[in-house]
Amino acid sequence: MTKRSSKSAAVRAVKSRPSAVEGDDTAITALKLPPQELAPEMAAYFKKCEDKLGFVPNVLQAYAFDGAKLAAFVALYNDLMLAPSGLSKLEREMIAVAVSAHNRCYYCLVAHGAAVRQLSGDPPLGELMVMNYRAARLSRRERAMLDFAVKLTAEPWSIEEADREALRRCGFSDRDIWDIAAVAGFFNMSNRVASATDMRPNSVYHAQAR
Amino acid sequence: MTKRSSKSAAVRAVKSRPSAVEGDDTAITALKLPPQELAPEMAAYFKKCEDKLGFVPNVLQAYAFDGAKLAAFVALYNDLMLAPSGLSKLEREMIAVAVSAHNRCYYCLVAHGAAVRQLSGDPPLGELMVMNYRAARLSRRERAMLDFAVKLTAEPWSIEEADREALRRCGFSDRDIWDIAAVAGFFNMSNRVASATDMRPNSVYHAQAR
Amino acid sequence: MTKRSSKSAAVRAVKSRPSAVEGDDTAITALKLPPQELAPEMAAYFKKCEDKLGFVPNVLQAYAFDGAKLAAFVALYNDLMLAPSGLSKLEREMIAVAVSAHNRCYYCLVAHGAAVRQLSGDPPLGELMVMNYRAARLSRRERAMLDFAVKLTAEPWSIEEADREALRRCGFSDRDIWDIAAVAGFFNMSNRVASATDMRPNSVYHAQAR
Amino acid sequence: MTKRSSKSAAVRAVKSRPSAVEGDDTAITALKLPPQELAPEMAAYFKKCEDKLGFVPNVLQAYAFDGAKLAAFVALYNDLMLAPSGLSKLEREMIAVAVSAHNRCYYCLVAHGAAVRQLSGDPPLGELMVMNYRAARLSRRERAMLDFAVKLTAEPWSIEEADREALRRCGFSDRDIWDIAAVAGFFNMSNRVASATDMRPNSVYHAQAR
Amino acid sequence: MTKRSSKSAAVRAVKSRPSAVEGDDTAITALKLPPQELAPEMAAYFKKCEDKLGFVPNVLQAYAFDGAKLAAFVALYNDLMLAPSGLSKLEREMIAVAVSAHNRCYYCLVAHGAAVRQLSGDPPLGELMVMNYRAARLSRRERAMLDFAVKLTAEPWSIEEADREALRRCGFSDRDIWDIAAVAGFFNMSNRVASATDMRPNSVYHAQAR
Amino acid sequence: MTKRSSKSAAVRAVKSRPSAVEGDDTAITALKLPPQELAPEMAAYFKKCEDKLGFVPNVLQAYAFDGAKLAAFVALYNDLMLAPSGLSKLEREMIAVAVSAHNRCYYCLVAHGAAVRQLSGDPPLGELMVMNYRAARLSRRERAMLDFAVKLTAEPWSIEEADREALRRCGFSDRDIWDIAAVAGFFNMSNRVASATDMRPNSVYHAQAR
């Protein structure tokens, strides 16, 4: 309760232990997979990231050891997260973080937590998706969407028509249901690729949109 | 133990209840998403499926409501399961089924269980991947690969360097570790898209390569 | 998706690895327990199995190291699975497989999966009981029966009057409820004896009634 | 800590709420299954129970609605728990209680907890089997036996040769391993029959051998 | 079922193995933390325990290595368990045991199981709280209270307004809800301190109020 | 990946939904428990909080409905988190957050996540304790401490001497082991009181020490 540590105490603390994210920007995964030369389309995409974000997300650099894998990942990601959908971009990012919280994926929680903070303009919403989405003040629609995505993550074998009906009752169309499932599914994939390889997020995310 | 049902008893049984897979070939998912007209490349791909397999896998038909999603799925799938890799195609299919068994995904167990039977020429291997891969007589390499894939499926947050080291000790390279993770991740995605939509496998798979 | 392996590729595969069920018909368990000479009644029972099934189920051979244990097992098994009951033989076998699927028991899934295929004349029903009974097209009665049996398997401490009432509402009598519980209970026992001893099913089951 | 309730306070408490085991001796299960007339052999067995124990265990009365089921249960039970074995009767009862504790089975914990208290002459041993066998001061042999039985109860799919080897290293023979598995399996069955039917133990057990 | 062990057999058993609670009264925890001299207030409190209970509960002796920790623990404990509340002392002890049963805490189950037996004058109620509170004949109020406390123990993240509403419908006030949460929370703390240190209950508890 | 939302897009988003933490500073819990007048000692303590922190932590306001409960909580908290110990204050806060992450407690993750950021001077360390402590670059000592605390949280029944030995091998004394257990225990209590009452953290924490 009484956090009395002065700035100087904090500085001393910094000295006494290395950062918990030491090396995150240089050793992106635990696998030694040297990057290939980028195909022109991907080089342009990386350039666009640097222009718009100021950096290339580490997940892209992690995939850069193989041009075909990188291209397939980017195509799938961009379609799911950025293409037109009945779900807003914020809703898709909320699913990303709630799923990644279930799977406790460091990379995705950092990168997509930042996206929720930024897209919502409500930084604590990003925190709540990481911590426990049930504690957030959400609309009925948002809550139903996240309940479906997290149940699908935790016990996919138990999803049945009643679960789809619950979404329809909140106004989601069948296409929206597909998109919820596809985004939740995608992060169940990405969380595992990231955890399997100890993928590290760009450190710049931590302070974004706080 | 004593299964005395004669053929006629079995026939009677058939009459007394509809098949458990009634409609699997016609109502592919629980979502009403009418197919778009296929782009030429995808039309060619579907044609190739029909020529080689005798049918178009239902998962492709399920994705056909949206050309971009279909193309992204096919590109990712074909890269992971068919492109050159330190993992044989059979090994990749074994991961597919062991992961899908953890997630109890009807679609993927049926389709990829058939693939394991076919690629291995050892039908019980397909059954064992569905039932409990730990009960199969496997090489040390195969067992380590599946232990990693299933742990990554069940508790992705707990994968650490020791798990990667266990793979390396069995001769897997860092690139192989990526591929194990990527295939396991992919089926964690596909299992969830299939379960969320009640995706039904082509009924022809059931009897394949028995 | 594109399983292009020709027959010759499959044959090559067979050569490259031993079968996953190598030895299943000769080394029935991991325990060295030499069979006793059978008592006349049991010898007659084994003979009857050979006449009707063409083989003696390995579970009987596994119990044959002790005449009293064999006789007790056979008496209990035959009463539960073959004696008159409000549950059909197929229903009892469906419970057997759904319970064994929860417990991932190789022996029971193989032997009783075959029984479901045979008794139903609907091979995919056997597969679905192994994979995820929730994905099968079942009658309301069958579904309630399996929901009870699987809940009893997974969390026996949580069964209460409401669960019994749900069965009664589907037309099950109190005697039927006993039988559902007794069959589910029996396979929770057998699954564990089989898993503890690495009991192997007769390989002939794999291809039965496909 | 300070339990100051005098006897009279306790008596008042009794008045203020009905006993938590009201009716346990008269309404043995939640199922209405009237007893059949006992076959002579079973009548003699019930008589023997009354002579030796002073009562007929409720589980026998619960099975008495069907003579064949009763006889099969008694034969199996007596072989497992009373016939010669490398496991002492106390060891078999310890397995019974540790397994039943995992499954939180009221009937079996009461009846077999009493048996452990009685056979050991160490009443707290019975309590510890119910509460957490890991907290008891056990021999290395007892601990290995219970670890195997409880793992087999909780995750039967994960038992492998290493688990059997751990028992052999503590001096258990292959026959002993069978017996541990068979007793653990039996209580996984009985726990579920009891929980499914809300079977109630004879109230006399509660105070036995305290 | 047939427990025929005579007294002499039990005595023999006693000889053949040390008690499962050997040393519980002398080596209270697995940590070597010598007691400090008690402050006057605590010395008086220990004296009062001896006068009223006949002994000082081991948990107090375990905390006695540090006067401030002992005083803080006693103040919190006495406020929660003994101060005025809408919950009776018995109800609070029932929560203590049901929570400790979920956490399988030897110390708390023994000490507070005895308290439930004593306060209720119904010894089997104490057993049932240890074994499975769902099997006890409880009032609707008691059942709702324990369902909340055990859900809060097992999955605290999933408690929501509907859970509080269920308590209110049984007549609990908001202050009562706080008290249920606070007692359940307290034993989730104490269970862990006890388990972490292998804290042993005074052996006198075992036979109390049977 | 490509988060292109301009400031104005974010502002629009803010308009389209209320904040996820709406009301956190005014409706501190879901229970209607009006504060008592503070005793002088507690009034002074609240004053001190305001002077040092700029606010009174909401948990204190939540307990303020009852002076005795407030005093007991404060005494316990301050002893555990601020009194001399072989564990640094940062280490104690790291335990607090790792435990609260397992329990997904919104209040404690926000308040103590801020404390870890502040005390360490390494904001991502706070994030990692919330997300997955296994992904942080920690010293061997820190990792062992958190492994013990989280195992104690998840499966308290399974802690044994080997777990304590693992701590001793990292240089922790028996007194340190007590402190790790006591802090982990405390947050297992507080997490549950907070979750049971939907306790909301002061919104000022969210932006602290980023």
Side-chain angles (χ1 to χ4, degrees):
Chain A
M1 236 95 57
T2 50
K3 280 119 212 161
R4 291 158 306 188
S5 61
S6 63
K7 184 71 193 174
S8 62
V11 169
R12 244 181 299 121
V14 170
K15 297 219 163 124
S16 71
R17 61 187 305 288
S19 167
V21 296
E22 191 69 44
D24 275 15
D25 290 313
T26 51
I28 294 173
T29 76
L31 304 181
K32 290 200 174 59
L33 295 171
Q36 281 188 333
E37 195 176 350
L38 293 174
E41 197 182 333
M42 281 301 114
Y45 184 63
F46 276 43
K47 178 72 169 50
K48 191 168 129 187
C49 288
E50 281 194 357
D51 291 349
K52 294 215 169 179
L53 305 174
F55 61 95
V56 178
N58 281 352
V59 66
L60 298 181
Q61 310 223 41
Y63 270 94
F65 74 91
D66 183 292
K69 292 182 196 309
L70 175 61
F73 177 83
V74 166
L76 181 59
Y77 180 90
N78 285 347
D79 176 71
L80 284 172
M81 300 303 281
L82 304 173
S85 163
L87 309 178
S88 72
K89 286 178 193 170
L90 173 58
E91 287 173 330
R92 288 177 266 179
E93 293 287 352
M94 288 168 71
I95 295 171
V97 183
V99 165
S100 302
H102 182 87
N103 291 329
R104 301 191 186 280
C105 175
Y106 171 49
Y107 185 93
C108 298
L109 287 169
V110 169
H112 294 278
V116 170
R117 294 193 302 270
Q118 192 164 46
L119 288 172
S120 67
D122 184 22
L125 179 64
E127 299 307 294
L128 273 157
M129 293 300 103
V130 171
M131 292 168 174
N132 185 355
Y133 76 92
R134 298 169 199 84
R137 306 303 184 207
L138 300 174
S139 68
R140 193 171 145 256
R141 169 185 165 95
E142 289 168 336
R143 178 61 192 262
M145 175 186 83
L146 296 178
D147 280 347
F148 186 93
V150 170
K151 183 177 180 183
L152 184 61
T153 298
E155 325 188 289
W157 52 82
S158 71
I159 293 281
E160 298 200 59
E161 189 60 16
D163 301 291
R164 288 181 289 271
E165 275 304 314
L167 290 177
R168 290 186 189 110
R169 275 198 306 275
C170 291
F172 289 103
S173 69
D174 275 19
R175 168 61 199 272
D176 295 340
I177 296 174
W178 178 279
D179 286 358
I180 295 171
V183 172
F186 178 83
F187 283 93
N188 272 287
M189 176 175 75
S190 288
N191 292 169
R192 285 174 175 85
V193 173
S195 292
T197 63
D198 194 22
M199 195 181 287
R200 316 296 297 183
N202 308 62
S203 60
V204 66
Y205 284 123
H206 291 291
Q208 276 185 345
R210 294 289 179 187
Chain B
M1 237 94 54
T2 50
K3 280 118 212 161
R4 291 158 307 188
S5 62
S6 64
K7 184 71 192 174
S8 64
V11 169
R12 246 182 299 120
V14 169
K15 297 222 162 123
S16 70
R17 60 188 305 290
S19 167
V21 296
E22 191 68 43
D24 276 15
D25 290 313
T26 50
I28 293 173
T29 77
L31 303 181
K32 291 201 172 59
L33 295 171
Q36 281 187 331
E37 195 177 349
L38 294 173
E41 196 183 334
M42 281 300 115
Y45 184 64
F46 276 43
K47 179 71 168 51
K48 192 166 127 187
C49 289
E50 280 194 359
D51 292 348
K52 295 214 168 178
L53 305 173
F55 61 94
V56 178
N58 282 352
V59 66
L60 298 181
Q61 310 223 41
Y63 270 93
F65 75 90
D66 184 291
K69 293 183 195 307
L70 176 61
F73 177 83
V74 166
L76 181 60
Y77 180 89
N78 285 347
D79 175 69
L80 283 172
M81 300 303 280
L82 303 174
S85 163
L87 309 179
S88 72
K89 286 178 192 170
L90 174 57
E91 287 173 329
R92 287 177 266 179
E93 292 288 352
M94 289 168 71
I95 294 172
V97 184
V99 164
S100 302
H102 182 86
N103 291 330
R104 301 190 186 279
C105 175
Y106 171 49
Y107 186 93
C108 298
L109 287 170
V110 169
H112 295 279
V116 170
R117 294 194 301 269
Q118 193 165 45
L119 288 172
S120 66
D122 184 22
L125 179 64
E127 298 308 293
L128 273 157
M129 292 301 103
V130 172
M131 293 169 175
N132 185 355
Y133 76 93
R134 297 169 199 84
R137 306 304 183 205
L138 301 174
S139 67
R140 191 169 147 257
R141 168 185 165 94
E142 290 168 335
R143 179 60 193 262
M145 175 187 83
L146 296 178
D147 280 347
F148 187 93
V150 170
K151 183 176 179 183
L152 184 61
T153 298
E155 330 187 285
W157 51 82
S158 71
I159 293 280
E160 298 200 60
E161 188 61 16
D163 300 291
R164 288 180 290 270
E165 275 303 314
L167 290 176
R168 290 186 190 111
R169 275 197 305 275
C170 290
F172 289 104
S173 69
D174 275 19
R175 168 60 199 272
D176 296 338
I177 296 174
W178 178 279
D179 287 357
I180 295 171
V183 173
F186 178 83
F187 283 93
N188 272 288
M189 175 175 76
S190 288
N191 292 169
R192 285 175 175 84
V193 173
S195 292
T197 62
D198 194 22
M199 195 181 288
R200 316 296 297 182
N202 309 61
S203 61
V204 66
Y205 284 124
H206 292 291
Q208 277 186 345
R210 292 290 178 187
Chain C
M1 235 94 58
T2 49
K3 281 119 212 161
R4 292 157 306 187
S5 61
S6 63
K7 184 72 191 173
S8 63
V11 170
R12 247 181 299 122
V14 170
K15 297 219 162 125
S16 71
R17 60 187 306 287
S19 167
V21 296
E22 191 70 43
D24 276 14
D25 290 312
T26 51
I28 294 173
T29 76
L31 304 181
K32 291 201 172 57
L33 294 171
Q36 280 188 332
E37 195 176 349
L38 293 174
E41 196 183 333
M42 280 301 115
Y45 184 65
F46 276 43
K47 178 73 170 50
K48 191 166 127 186
C49 289
E50 281 194 359
D51 291 349
K52 295 215 168 179
L53 305 174
F55 61 94
V56 178
N58 281 353
V59 66
L60 298 180
Q61 309 224 42
Y63 270 94
F65 75 90
D66 183 292
K69 292 183 195 309
L70 175 62
F73 177 82
V74 166
L76 181 60
Y77 180 88
N78 285 348
D79 176 70
L80 284 172
M81 300 303 282
L82 303 174
S85 163
L87 308 179
S88 72
K89 285 178 193 170
L90 174 57
E91 287 172 330
R92 288 177 266 180
E93 293 288 352
M94 288 168 71
I95 294 172
V97 184
V99 165
S100 301
H102 182 86
N103 291 329
R104 302 190 186 278
C105 175
Y106 170 49
Y107 185 94
C108 298
L109 287 170
V110 169
H112 295 279
V116 171
R117 295 193 301 268
Q118 193 164 46
L119 288 172
S120 67
D122 183 23
L125 179 64
E127 298 308 293
L128 273 157
M129 293 300 104
V130 172
M131 293 168 174
N132 185 354
Y133 77 93
R134 297 169 199 84
R137 306 304 184 205
L138 301 175
S139 68
R140 192 170 146 257
R141 168 184 165 94
E142 290 168 335
R143 179 61 193 262
M145 176 186 82
L146 295 178
D147 280 347
F148 187 93
V150 170
K151 183 177 179 183
L152 184 61
T153 298
E155 326 187 288
W157 52 82
S158 71
I159 293 280
E160 298 199 59
E161 188 62 15
D163 301 291
R164 288 181 290 270
E165 275 305 314
L167 289 177
R168 290 186 189 110
R169 275 198 304 276
C170 291
F172 289 104
S173 69
D174 275 19
R175 168 59 199 272
D176 296 339
I177 296 174
W178 178 279
D179 287 358
I180 295 170
V183 172
F186 178 82
F187 283 93
N188 272 288
M189 175 175 75
S190 288
N191 291 170
R192 285 174 175 84
V193 173
S195 291
T197 63
D198 194 22
M199 194 181 289
R200 315 297 296 183
N202 309 62
S203 61
V204 66
Y205 283 123
H206 292 290
Q208 276 185 345
R210 293 290 180 186
Chain D
M1 238 93 56
T2 51
K3 279 118 213 163
R4 291 156 308 185
S5 62
S6 64
K7 183 73 193 173
S8 63
V11 169
R12 246 181 297 122
V14 169
K15 296 220 162 123
S16 71
R17 60 187 305 287
S19 167
V21 296
E22 192 69 43
D24 276 15
D25 290 313
T26 51
I28 293 173
T29 76
L31 304 181
K32 290 201 173 58
L33 295 170
Q36 281 187 332
E37 196 177 348
L38 293 173
E41 196 183 334
M42 282 300 114
Y45 183 64
F46 276 42
K47 179 72 169 50
K48 192 167 129 188
C49 288
E50 281 194 358
D51 291 348
K52 295 215 169 179
L53 305 174
F55 61 94
V56 177
N58 281 352
V59 66
L60 298 180
Q61 309 223 42
Y63 271 94
F65 74 90
D66 184 292
K69 291 182 196 309
L70 176 61
F73 177 82
V74 166
L76 181 59
Y77 180 89
N78 285 348
D79 175 71
L80 284 172
M81 300 303 281
L82 304 173
S85 162
L87 309 179
S88 72
K89 286 178 193 170
L90 173 57
E91 287 173 330
R92 286 178 266 180
E93 292 288 351
M94 289 168 70
I95 295 171
V97 184
V99 165
S100 301
H102 182 87
N103 291 330
R104 302 191 185 278
C105 175
Y106 171 49
Y107 185 93
C108 298
L109 287 170
V110 169
H112 295 278
V116 170
R117 294 194 301 269
Q118 193 164 45
L119 288 171
S120 66
D122 184 22
L125 179 64
E127 298 308 293
L128 273 158
M129 293 301 102
V130 171
M131 292 167 174
N132 185 355
Y133 76 92
R134 297 169 199 84
R137 306 304 184 205
L138 300 175
S139 68
R140 192 170 147 257
R141 168 184 164 95
E142 289 168 335
R143 178 61 193 261
M145 175 187 83
L146 296 177
D147 280 346
F148 187 93
V150 170
K151 182 177 180 183
L152 184 61
T153 298
E155 328 187 285
W157 53 82
S158 71
I159 293 280
E160 298 199 59
E161 188 61 16
D163 301 291
R164 288 181 289 270
E165 276 304 313
L167 290 177
R168 289 186 190 112
R169 276 196 305 275
C170 291
F172 289 104
S173 69
D174 275 18
R175 169 60 200 272
D176 296 339
I177 296 174
W178 179 279
D179 287 358
I180 294 170
V183 172
F186 178 83
F187 283 92
N188 272 288
M189 174 175 76
S190 288
N191 292 169
R192 285 174 176 84
V193 172
S195 292
T197 63
D198 194 22
M199 195 181 288
R200 316 296 296 183
N202 309 62
S203 60
V204 66
Y205 283 123
H206 292 291
Q208 277 185 345
R210 292 289 179 186
Chain E
M1 236 94 56
T2 49
K3 280 119 213 163
R4 290 158 306 186
S5 61
S6 64
K7 183 72 192 173
S8 62
V11 169
R12 246 182 298 122
V14 170
K15 298 222 163 121
S16 71
R17 59 188 306 289
S19 167
V21 296
E22 191 71 43
D24 275 15
D25 290 313
T26 50
I28 294 173
T29 76
L31 303 182
K32 291 201 174 57
L33 295 172
Q36 280 188 332
E37 197 177 348
L38 295 173
E41 197 183 333
M42 281 300 115
Y45 184 64
F46 276 43
K47 179 72 171 49
K48 191 167 128 188
C49 289
E50 280 192 359
D51 291 348
K52 294 214 169 179
L53 305 173
F55 61 94
V56 178
N58 282 353
V59 66
L60 298 181
Q61 309 223 44
Y63 270 93
F65 75 90
D66 183 292
K69 292 182 195 309
L70 175 61
F73 176 82
V74 166
L76 181 59
Y77 180 89
N78 285 348
D79 176 71
L80 284 172
M81 300 303 281
L82 303 174
S85 163
L87 309 179
S88 72
K89 285 178 193 170
L90 174 58
E91 287 173 330
R92 287 177 265 179
E93 293 287 353
M94 289 168 70
I95 294 171
V97 183
V99 165
S100 302
H102 182 87
N103 291 329
R104 302 190 186 279
C105 175
Y106 170 49
Y107 185 93
C108 298
L109 287 169
V110 169
H112 295 278
V116 170
R117 295 194 302 270
Q118 193 164 46
L119 288 171
S120 67
D122 184 22
L125 179 63
E127 300 307 295
L128 273 157
M129 292 301 102
V130 171
M131 292 169 174
N132 185 355
Y133 76 93
R134 298 170 199 84
R137 306 304 184 206
L138 301 174
S139 68
R140 192 170 146 258
R141 169 185 165 94
E142 289 168 336
R143 178 61 192 262
M145 176 187 83
L146 296 178
D147 280 347
F148 187 94
V150 170
K151 183 177 180 184
L152 184 61
T153 298
E155 326 187 288
W157 52 83
S158 71
I159 293 279
E160 299 200 58
E161 189 60 16
D163 300 290
R164 289 180 289 271
E165 275 304 313
L167 290 177
R168 290 187 189 109
R169 277 197 304 275
C170 291
F172 290 103
S173 69
D174 275 19
R175 168 60 200 271
D176 296 339
I177 296 174
W178 179 279
D179 287 357
I180 295 170
V183 172
F186 178 83
F187 283 93
N188 272 288
M189 176 176 74
S190 288
N191 293 169
R192 284 175 175 85
V193 172
S195 292
T197 62
D198 194 22
M199 195 181 287
R200 316 296 295 183
N202 308 63
S203 60
V204 67
Y205 283 124
H206 291 291
Q208 276 187 346
R210 293 288 180 188
Chain F
M1 237 92 59
T2 50
K3 280 121 216 161
R4 292 157 306 185
S5 61
S6 63
K7 184 71 194 172
S8 62
V11 170
R12 246 181 299 121
V14 170
K15 296 219 164 125
S16 70
R17 60 187 305 288
S19 167
V21 296
E22 190 71 43
D24 275 14
D25 290 312
T26 52
I28 293 172
T29 76
L31 304 181
K32 291 201 174 57
L33 295 171
Q36 281 188 331
E37 195 177 347
L38 294 173
E41 197 183 333
M42 281 300 114
Y45 184 65
F46 277 43
K47 179 72 170 50
K48 192 167 127 187
C49 289
E50 281 194 358
D51 291 349
K52 295 215 169 179
L53 306 174
F55 61 95
V56 177
N58 282 352
V59 66
L60 298 180
Q61 309 223 43
Y63 271 94
F65 75 90
D66 184 291
K69 293 183 194 309
L70 175 61
F73 177 83
V74 166
L76 181 59
Y77 180 90
N78 285 347
D79 175 71
L80 284 172
M81 300 304 281
L82 304 174
S85 163
L87 309 179
S88 72
K89 285 178 193 170
L90 173 58
E91 286 173 330
R92 287 177 267 179
E93 292 288 352
M94 288 167 70
I95 294 171
V97 184
V99 164
S100 302
H102 182 87
N103 291 329
R104 302 191 184 279
C105 175
Y106 171 49
Y107 185 93
C108 298
L109 287 169
V110 169
H112 295 278
V116 170
R117 295 193 302 270
Q118 193 165 45
L119 288 171
S120 66
D122 183 23
L125 179 64
E127 298 308 293
L128 273 157
M129 293 300 103
V130 172
M131 293 169 174
N132 185 355
Y133 76 93
R134 298 170 198 84
R137 305 304 183 206
L138 300 175
S139 68
R140 192 169 146 258
R141 169 185 165 95
E142 289 168 335
R143 178 61 192 262
M145 175 187 83
L146 296 178
D147 281 346
F148 187 93
V150 170
K151 182 176 180 185
L152 184 61
T153 298
E155 328 187 286
W157 52 82
S158 71
I159 293 280
E160 298 199 60
E161 188 62 15
D163 300 291
R164 288 181 289 271
E165 275 304 315
L167 290 177
R168 290 186 189 111
R169 275 197 305 275
C170 292
F172 289 104
S173 69
D174 275 18
R175 168 60 200 272
D176 295 339
I177 296 174
W178 178 280
D179 287 358
I180 294 170
V183 172
F186 178 83
F187 283 93
N188 272 288
M189 175 175 74
S190 288
N191 291 170
R192 285 175 175 84
V193 173
S195 292
T197 64
D198 194 22
M199 194 180 289
R200 316 297 296 183
N202 309 63
S203 61
V204 67
Y205 283 124
H206 292 291
Q208 277 186 344
R210 294 288 180 188

